[in-house]
Amino acid sequence: MSSFGECPISRFDYDRILLGHGSGGRLTSELIGKLFLPAFGGSPLAALEDAATLDIGMGSRLAFTTDAFVVRPIFFPGGDIGRLAVCGTINDLSVAGAVPRFLSAAFILEEGLALDDLRRIADSMQLACDEAGVELVTGDTKVVDRGKGDQVFITTTGIGLVPQGRSLSIANAKPGDRILVSGTIGDHGVAILSVREGIEFETLLESDVAPLNRLTELLMTECPSIRCMRDPTRGGVAGVLNELAVASRVEVRVTESSLPIRPEVRAACEMLGLDPMYVANEGKLLAVVPGEDADRLLSVARQHPLGRNAALIGSVVSGRLGLVTMQSLVGGERLVPVLAGEQLPRIC
Amino acid sequence: MSSFGECPISRFDYDRILLGHGSGGRLTSELIGKLFLPAFGGSPLAALEDAATLDIGMGSRLAFTTDAFVVRPIFFPGGDIGRLAVCGTINDLSVAGAVPRFLSAAFILEEGLALDDLRRIADSMQLACDEAGVELVTGDTKVVDRGKGDQVFITTTGIGLVPQGRSLSIANAKPGDRILVSGTIGDHGVAILSVREGIEFETLLESDVAPLNRLTELLMTECPSIRCMRDPTRGGVAGVLNELAVASRVEVRVTESSLPIRPEVRAACEMLGLDPMYVANEGKLLAVVPGEDADRLLSVARQHPLGRNAALIGSVVSGRLGLVTMQSLVGGERLVPVLAGEQLPRIC
């Protein structure tokens, strides 16, 4: 007898963890839906949000989120695993509509890691905290034997305060809403991959890793009825839009010509056979906004340094429920499916 | 130029991470004191507490703590890495005087981990949560390539609510206080090591891993002026008492004959050359209690299933500040120093 309830193990096509289970795509969803949710008894919808919202009494609502970071290499153009670990968790709180306040950090160090590297990472974490105005208040350190880890893994967990009246959800999108992206897409994933593959361009490919909390606060203040915000990390913009289409039971229509993509990122993607829609971002925001507020929010976003390349890239329609479609540059239409396995392992 | 401020790198005797940095002993303290604290600007005293206490306004105080778990093997007599990860974080909140409420869990999985093993771990986590009355509300999963991890690492982070008027601190011990331990010591570490070394005894050596929150609540309710509570994990009872002696500027005197130790644990320690005072526990509580309340608290503790072997093992005196001394079975006195390196790697 399996303790797996309605999801017997036979419904997996594999009996071991694959790299793709960390992709943020279909295999990740499958692992969550068929293994973790039955064990932990959570709701499938709650599992799709980037942060849990907790009612702790006396009118206080907290957002609470955690992420493990295993990016390789640990230093990359535009950032490092420390900055990524701080920003990633801040961003998950921010897109939940919360004001990030406190972080914890747990380090799993591999025996032999250079102390100089660890110090650079710690300094970088503090800088990112200062930039975002959050406090790192508690931590832990474990060491594993050489060959049983990979230099350093960092898990950060964050607490944010959710102001009264905010209720964002991936299930909130309505026909007529527009999709706003805060800047160029694919920068983080392409920067990581270019280092791994030793690709050089005339322009340096840099990760966009940055804390989004001040930008999200600006937008939420301007328009408290924003439906939903997400940071398109693993699985990229396509991953988030697919979750949105399914959870909100809508079609999401993206216009290819409106996608902000750096020329060098586009060139790198062509060379590497990647679609920027699936490439991870670490300092970009996707917001589903009421149609009537879209243009105003776009100009507000563009006034913020992290939003100066913001664009409206698509809209929500009541067409084919659960699907993401793209009006392509050449005029046709194609599906933008969810990613099955792993496009870029260990991107975050 | 080092960005390390007053602690130049030359003050380390090494330039790489050693296994001992994960011991919970002197090397761990050194890493925290010379690298993390300068980078993160925390107070040395705050760094010694098991949980951060956060004031979030409107009279609410939260306790917040994180721990990474890298124990090997992942299944052991009496528990597994999942139960350990849940209980460890619950216990850190509990000894801070908080009522544990919410947990997050971040998994770092090695490619190739058996899904059956992961499911057993998840089920075990949920059981431990149910036992303690806490909710696992958010999580994350990352996958690393084969040979870059070790089956599964889990980082749990917890939020607890601190009732009004509680203020426990490792710096609070006063001469005249007594030291209460909630049960037999060394069980967890010896259970892990016996599996690793393939040692068999007539009696099964089992880890004591358990959530302490109901026991701590019982004691705090009985005596709100308890000075300090700790769970003696890495570094064992000796590690906690040394931190206490230093932080409170007192001498801690332990009576060897009063230490509750299972005969089979004592025998295993002798065989393995270990001192039970330094061996990790995962379901035991050390409390520093006012002398006049000690006997009453002892009988209260003994009424709880996790406290039935509780004992008063020593007292706080104003003698040699910062030292832990032991009145030995044969009548002499010896120092109980802090552990320098790693006695048992990857015990938690």
Side-chain angles (χ1 to χ4, degrees):
Chain A
M1 284 293 289
S2 159
S3 60
F4 212 9
E6 299 187 74
C7 299
I9 191 73
S10 58
R11 286 177 53 189
F12 284 111
D13 298 330
Y14 39 80
D15 63 358
R16 300 202 164 262
I17 288 293
L18 314 172
L19 265 181
H21 283 117
S23 66
R26 186 173 293 146
L27 281 171
T28 307
S29 306
E30 202 164 282
L31 188 67
I32 293 171
K34 294 193 185 174
L35 197 151
F36 287 124
L37 286 185
F40 298 142
S43 89
L45 190 58
L48 287 176
E49 300 295 345
D50 278 347
T53 304
L54 313 174
D55 192 336
I56 58 156
M58 291 182 288
S60 296
R61 276 198 309 155
L62 298 181
F64 184 41
T65 190
T66 193
D67 260 324
F69 293 86
V70 300
V71 67
R72 195 185 42 169
I74 56 176
F75 298 102
F76 48 82
D80 57 74
I81 191 171
R83 180 171 175 83
L84 189 62
V86 167
C87 295
T89 287
I90 286 173
N91 292 348
D92 282 346
L93 294 173
S94 305
V95 298
V99 179
R101 291 284 304 276
F102 304 107
L103 289 188
S104 67
F107 296 84
I108 298 176
L109 308 178
E110 186 189 8
E111 185 186 13
L113 173 72
L115 285 182
D116 273 340
D117 286 346
L118 184 59
R119 199 173 49 248
R120 267 179 75 192
I121 290 166
D123 287 343
S124 168
M125 292 176 78
Q126 185 57 48
L127 273 176
C129 283
D130 292 345
E131 217 172 304
V134 306
E135 271 181 273
L136 183 55
V137 291
T138 190
D140 183 48
T141 309
K142 294 284 156 58
V143 180
V144 295
D145 11 343
R146 207 180 288 262
K148 297 296 184 183
D150 197 4
Q151 296 182 282
V152 53
F153 302 141
I154 306 176
T155 296
T156 50
T157 306
I159 294 178
L161 301 185
V162 185
Q164 295 282 350
R166 290 191 186 170
S167 169
L168 297 156
S169 164
I170 191 93
N172 273 355
K174 294 174 181 55
D177 290 349
R178 307 279 299 277
I179 312 287
L180 183 148
V181 66
S182 64
T184 54
I185 67 173
D187 300 2
H188 176 73
V190 163
I192 296 287
L193 207 62
S194 70
V195 190
R196 285 198 208 151
E197 306 282 323
I199 298 167
E200 287 192 23
F201 290 84
E202 288 183 22
T203 318
L204 184 65
L205 293 167
E206 279 202 336
S207 168
D208 58 345
V209 54
L212 290 167
N213 55 317
R214 302 197 196 272
L215 177 59
T216 54
E217 206 46 38
L218 200 64
L219 296 176
M220 287 300 303
T221 306
E222 180 66 29
C223 176
S225 58
I226 287 176
R227 317 293 191 202
C228 166
M229 299 189 289
R230 298 300 284 271
D231 57 329
T233 56
R234 288 184 293 181
V237 169
V240 169
L241 295 182
N242 271 285
E243 282 185 38
L244 180 74
V246 170
S248 292
R249 301 179 48 79
V250 292
E251 177 183 337
V252 177
R253 258 186 215 167
V254 178
T255 312
E256 190 168 13
S257 60
S258 66
L259 292 172
I261 304 175
R262 289 186 199 286
E264 60 270 29
V265 167
R266 192 186 295 279
C269 280
E270 274 166 22
M271 180 180 299
L272 297 163
L274 298 175
D275 180 341
M277 283 286 284
Y278 292 93
V279 177
N281 311 274
E282 292 291 347
K284 295 294 153 36
L285 174 70
L286 270 184
V288 184
V289 306
E292 63 272 24
D293 302 306
D295 291 320
R296 200 174 80 252
L297 287 170
L298 179 65
S299 54
V300 168
R302 284 183 172 166
Q303 285 159 34
H304 189 277
L306 292 177
R308 57 178 178 268
N309 297 313
L312 295 166
I313 61 166
S315 51
V316 176
V317 298
S318 57
R320 287 152 294 178
L321 307 187
L323 295 184
V324 179
T325 54
M326 167 105 65
Q327 319 302 309
S328 76
L329 289 172
V330 295
E333 190 190 80
R334 60 177 174 86
L335 268 187
V336 181
V338 72
L339 187 70
E342 181 58 280
Q343 193 180 30
L344 302 173
R346 300 187 55 188
I347 203 76
C348 60
Chain B
M1 284 291 290
S2 159
S3 60
F4 212 11
E6 299 187 74
C7 299
I9 191 72
S10 59
R11 286 178 52 190
F12 284 111
D13 297 331
Y14 39 81
D15 63 359
R16 300 202 163 261
I17 288 293
L18 314 172
L19 265 181
H21 283 117
S23 66
R26 186 173 291 145
L27 281 171
T28 306
S29 305
E30 202 164 282
L31 188 67
I32 293 172
K34 293 193 185 175
L35 198 150
F36 286 123
L37 286 185
F40 299 141
S43 88
L45 189 58
L48 286 177
E49 299 296 344
D50 278 347
T53 305
L54 313 174
D55 192 336
I56 59 158
M58 292 183 286
S60 295
R61 277 198 308 155
L62 298 182
F64 184 42
T65 190
T66 194
D67 260 323
F69 293 86
V70 300
V71 66
R72 195 184 40 166
I74 56 176
F75 299 102
F76 48 81
D80 57 75
I81 191 172
R83 179 171 175 83
L84 189 61
V86 167
C87 295
T89 287
I90 286 174
N91 292 348
D92 282 346
L93 293 173
S94 305
V95 298
V99 178
R101 290 287 302 277
F102 304 107
L103 288 188
S104 67
F107 296 83
I108 298 176
L109 308 177
E110 185 189 8
E111 185 186 11
L113 174 71
L115 285 181
D116 272 340
D117 286 346
L118 185 58
R119 198 172 50 247
R120 266 179 76 192
I121 290 166
D123 286 343
S124 168
M125 292 176 79
Q126 185 57 46
L127 272 177
C129 283
D130 291 344
E131 216 172 305
V134 306
E135 272 183 272
L136 183 55
V137 291
T138 190
D140 183 48
T141 309
K142 293 285 156 57
V143 180
V144 295
D145 11 342
R146 207 180 287 263
K148 298 296 184 183
D150 198 3
Q151 297 182 282
V152 51
F153 302 142
I154 306 176
T155 297
T156 50
T157 308
I159 295 179
L161 301 184
V162 186
Q164 297 282 352
R166 290 190 187 172
S167 169
L168 297 156
S169 164
I170 191 93
N172 273 355
K174 294 173 183 58
D177 289 348
R178 307 280 298 277
I179 312 288
L180 183 148
V181 66
S182 63
T184 54
I185 67 173
D187 300 1
H188 176 73
V190 163
I192 297 288
L193 206 63
S194 70
V195 190
R196 285 199 208 149
E197 306 281 323
I199 298 167
E200 288 192 22
F201 289 83
E202 288 183 22
T203 318
L204 184 64
L205 293 167
E206 280 203 334
S207 167
D208 57 346
V209 55
L212 291 167
N213 56 317
R214 302 196 195 272
L215 178 59
T216 55
E217 205 48 36
L218 200 64
L219 296 177
M220 286 301 302
T221 306
E222 180 68 28
C223 176
S225 57
I226 286 176
R227 316 295 191 203
C228 166
M229 298 188 289
R230 297 301 283 272
D231 58 330
T233 57
R234 289 184 292 183
V237 169
V240 169
L241 295 182
N242 272 283
E243 283 185 37
L244 180 75
V246 170
S248 292
R249 301 179 48 78
V250 293
E251 177 183 336
V252 177
R253 258 187 214 166
V254 179
T255 311
E256 189 167 15
S257 61
S258 67
L259 292 172
I261 304 175
R262 286 185 201 285
E264 59 270 30
V265 167
R266 192 185 296 278
C269 281
E270 274 166 21
M271 181 180 299
L272 297 162
L274 298 174
D275 180 341
M277 283 287 284
Y278 293 94
V279 177
N281 310 274
E282 292 290 346
K284 294 295 153 39
L285 173 71
L286 270 185
V288 184
V289 305
E292 63 271 25
D293 301 305
D295 291 321
R296 201 175 79 251
L297 286 169
L298 179 65
S299 54
V300 168
R302 284 183 171 167
Q303 284 159 36
H304 189 277
L306 293 177
R308 56 179 178 268
N309 297 313
L312 295 166
I313 62 166
S315 50
V316 176
V317 298
S318 57
R320 288 150 293 178
L321 307 187
L323 295 184
V324 179
T325 54
M326 167 103 66
Q327 319 302 310
S328 76
L329 289 171
V330 294
E333 190 191 79
R334 60 179 174 88
L335 266 187
V336 182
V338 71
L339 188 69
E342 180 59 277
Q343 193 180 30
L344 301 173
R346 299 185 57 187
I347 203 74
C348 61

